[in-house]
Structures are given as structure tokens and as C-alpha cells.
Amino acid sequence: MTSAPATRAPRLPSLTGLRWIAALLVFAFHVGTMRIVAEPDVTAVLDKAFALGLSGVEFFFILSGFVLVWSYRDGEPRHTFLRRRLAKIYPNHLVTFAVALAVAFWFADPVAPWAAVGNLFLVQAWIPLDGYFYSVNNVSWSLSCELAFYLCLPLVLPWLRRARTGALWAVVVAVPLLILALWPAQFLVPEESRWWFTQVFPVTRSFEFWLGVAAAELLRRGRWRGPNLTVASLLFVATWAVAALWIRAEFWAALLAVAYLLVITAAADADVRGRRTPWRSRPMVWLGEVSFAFYLVHVLVMKTVLRLTGDWGTGLRGWWGPLVVLAFLLLNLLLAAALHRWVEMPLMRRLGPPRRARRAAATAGPAPSVPAPRAAPATLTRPVEYAGRRDPG
């Protein structure tokens, strides 16, 4: 049973800062798959260092489940919760959707009307057809998954609050094994749908979300047992290096899921206890706040600019490649800051629940308790996400 709640859920600024690291991993992965850098030696280093970068999406899914359970207040109406989440994701999605359609029109790219409709309403990840789940602004497939998670979470939370601690630990242990089992399971679906099944399908991608959900509830009760942030970070770096150099791609998702979960829970635990972390500084928190907008614009911006300059698919020689990558990083960050400042934040306030509803939700039920001092950490392992490099952009 849950421990008796005593205080309002503490804020977790370190998790906001870590969002920027996840966004950077995805950015670096796409830099490699777009072949912006043409020098073979530099490309080889990028391929080795960031081959696992697409797993940054896995980090977002785990983190999403963790944060939503941590901040969710019992008794909040489901429609209020869903309205808050839609107000968070839809304004940026609509802007980037419209820009992506304009870019497609400019280049005379074909866009299937039904694919565009599916993308607009964020159901494209359910459609296992090429040209659908990566349609329009292709990175928005992950928002389609998130929307499915948002719809399910309020239905699961009553069970979650009543669940025994052992059942939550069973979820934490079982999810990495389920992620690992996706690779033999993919042979049960047609070959042309296997990438979709393992990488896009909201049901299979929800494993990562529920992993974060279970871990957050354990920490909320003071029952999480894991390494501190320093040890968790070292384990993550070691896991990344070993996986990139020596582990077959089929095992990456399972391994990285464990590493990401350890870092997330350790950072959250440090915040709860008031300990300093490198991720809760003001610059890191700001970068984390704009990371959602950064994620939505980065592929669209880089692909569009490279096509306009005639460098799409050819790469840039010498130092031009790294300089252009740095310029893209800064340009995307600037555009993300503008999108966050002028679209995301004001429309979240306008479209989200009224203040009365927020105040009612804040007093409707008990908040998470501050974890009790933990015992000696136990080891935990879990996987990451994908068994082959394929550029969704």
C-alpha cells in the first residue's frame, strides 16, 4: 500500500534539464543519418558515438511516464488532465505541421491527404503504412504515441495507487524483458511492418512509458532502490560505450532502457532530497523547457536548409561539415526558443484548464510523499530501443 502522503509533490528540475540531453541525442543521430559531414574520418566517429542517439525518444517516453505520475494529483478529473496535456503538445504540433506542409508544397513533394489528416489528429503512429506514420513533420509520430499514453494513464492510475510494491517492481523488471522480446516477436508481423511494430506502434512503445510510471510510483512511496546520480551516470556512460562498440543492435533498447531509468530516478531522488545536480541549473532547466520545441523543428529545419542549398545527401567537406552542424544547433535552438516563448507558453495558459479547475485539482487528492531515506541501493537493469539504424527523417 502507499505510504501516507504528507507534502505537495516536490518539483524535479533535474528531469527538466535532462530533457535537453535527450533532445541532443536525437539531434546528433539525425546529423549522422543526414550525412551533413562528408569527411569519412569524422563521419565514422559520429556513427560510433551517436548510433544509439535515436534512443533519446525512449528517454522522453520513460521520462514522460515518470513525471506525469509524480505530478498527478488523485481526484483530478480525466478531462482536466487530458486538456492540460493537449494544451502542452498541440500548439507546437499545429505550427510545425503547417510549416511542414508549406515546405512540401514549395518543393512539390507529394503528401497523401489521408496521411496528413492522420498526422493532424496525431493518430499516424497507429497506421503501419509507409508515408503515413512518418508523414508531414515526421518526428510528430512520437506525439501520436504520447497522446495514446495520455488517454490511458488516468484509467490505470487508480490501480497504480492501490498496487502492492512487489507488483510495481515486477513491472520494472518485466518491461526490459518485453522490450527485448520485441525482436523475435517482430517475425510474427509482415516484413514490411516490422520497423513500425518495433519502433513506432504505440502499444509496443508504451512499454517505456509504463516503466517510468512504475518507477515514479516506487519513488513516490519511498520504495525505490537504486544507485545515486553519480553512479547511475557512470553506468549510463559505460552502457552507451559498450553497446555502441560491442553489443548487437537487437539488445540496445533493453540495455539503454535500464540505464535511462537509473539516471532519471537518481536525478529525481536527488531533487527530492535537495541535493545539487548538474542538471538543475537555470541554463539547463531553460534548455529542457525548450527541448520539446527543439525536437519538433530540428529535422524540418535541417532538411529544408540542405535542400535549398543543394547539399541534401551530399554532405560538406572539411571543416564546413562540423561548422554547419554547430550552426544548425544554434538555429534550431533559436527557433525553438521563439516557438516556446510565443506559441507554447501563451497557448498553454489560454487552452489549459481554468485557474479554478487547477486549484480544485491541487486540493482534490493527496500529493506524493517525500521518500524516506533509502536503504543500500540494489542493482537494476533495463533495455533501450532499436535494433538497426534507419533515418525517420
Side-chain angles (χ1 to χ4, degrees):
M1 302 298 290
T2 60
S3 55
T7 62
R8 186 180 180 86
R11 295 180 63 83
L12 304 176
S14 292
L15 297 193
T16 303
L18 280 171
R19 288 179 60 86
W20 174 244
I21 303 303
L24 272 184
L25 293 178
V26 179
F27 171 80
F29 173 81
H30 284 126
V31 165
T33 56
M34 290 182 184
R35 298 298 176 192
I36 297 174
V37 179
E39 291 299 322
D41 293 341
V42 180
T43 300
V45 173
L46 288 174
D47 286 346
K48 281 295 183 183
F50 297 109
L52 287 71
L54 190 58
S55 67
V57 177
E58 182 180 31
F59 182 100
F60 283 128
F61 288 160
I62 297 170
L63 182 61
S64 178
F66 192 102
V67 170
L68 290 179
V69 167
W70 184 263
S71 60
Y72 193 96
R73 302 194 67 85
D74 298 335
E76 180 181 28
R78 293 172 186 171
H79 69 273
T80 302
F81 169 79
L82 185 59
R83 180 171 174 176
R84 272 195 299 114
R85 302 319 305 165
L86 291 175
K88 167 66 177 177
I89 66 174
Y90 244 97
N92 283 357
H93 166 60
L94 290 177
V95 170
T96 52
F97 174 86
V99 173
L101 281 182
V103 169
F105 177 79
W106 176 268
F107 288 109
D109 295 334
V111 178
W114 283 114
V117 171
N119 189 289
L120 176 63
F121 290 102
L122 293 180
V123 297
Q124 72 270 36
W126 295 93
I127 306 172
L129 299 174
D130 280 342
Y132 277 75
F133 53 83
Y134 285 153
S135 59
V136 195
N137 185 21
N138 46 26
V139 297
S140 64
W141 70 268
S142 63
L143 302 189
S144 181
C145 292
E146 286 281 0
L147 180 58
F149 306 159
Y150 297 160
L151 292 170
C152 292
L153 183 61
L155 303 176
V156 174
L157 269 167
W159 170 86
L160 184 77
R161 298 305 198 211
R162 297 191 303 267
R164 293 183 179 275
T165 298
L168 297 174
W169 274 112
V171 172
V172 170
V173 173
V175 166
L177 299 177
L178 287 172
I179 296 174
L180 188 60
L182 288 176
W183 303 112
Q186 68 179 310
F187 294 102
L188 300 175
V189 301
E191 183 175 0
E192 64 272 13
S193 298
R194 289 173 186 170
W195 174 265
W196 165 82
F197 177 73
T198 58
Q199 301 303 312
V200 178
F201 186 31
V203 173
T204 54
R205 294 314 300 256
S206 74
F207 295 163
E208 298 142 357
F209 179 83
W210 299 121
L211 183 64
V213 163
E217 182 65 15
L218 285 168
L219 185 64
R220 191 185 86 93
R221 301 180 186 188
R223 298 302 182 90
W224 173 259
R225 300 295 180 264
N228 63 30
L229 184 56
T230 300
V231 175
S233 299
L234 291 174
L235 287 173
F236 163 71
V237 172
T239 301
W240 185 282
V242 170
L245 295 174
W246 295 296
I247 303 297
R248 290 181 57 179
E250 289 89 342
F251 300 99
W252 287 356
L255 290 172
L256 285 178
V258 175
Y260 286 142
L261 185 67
L262 292 179
V263 170
I264 288 169
T265 51
D269 186 60
D271 281 349
V272 168
R273 300 174 190 281
R275 296 171 182 166
R276 297 176 62 87
T277 79
W279 314 115
R280 61 182 298 164
S281 66
R282 185 171 298 179
M284 284 303 304
V285 169
W286 180 82
L287 288 169
E289 289 172 347
V290 304
S291 63
F292 173 52
F294 181 91
Y295 171 76
L296 284 182
V297 304
H298 79 281
V299 169
L300 179 60
V301 168
M302 292 193 293
K303 191 173 182 178
T304 301
V305 171
L306 291 172
R307 293 179 74 181
L308 288 173
T309 61
D311 295 309
W312 175 248
T314 62
L316 294 114
R317 294 286 179 181
W319 285 103
W320 280 109
L323 287 175
V324 167
V325 170
L326 179 60
F328 273 140
L329 178 63
L330 297 176
L331 175 60
N332 282 310
L333 186 57
L334 179 64
L335 293 175
L339 192 62
H340 175 75
R341 173 65 179 84
W342 301 110
V343 176
E344 183 179 341
M345 293 304 295
L347 289 182
M348 276 181 63
R349 289 191 292 268
R350 176 166 296 188
L351 301 177
R355 289 185 178 181
R356 285 195 303 266
R358 292 199 295 268
R359 284 197 296 267
T363 57
S369 59
V370 175
R374 59 185 179 183
T379 56
L380 175 68
T381 48
R382 99 166 243 271
V384 72
E385 48 195 296
Y386 88 118
R389 294 190 68 208
R390 175 174 169 184
D391 180 19

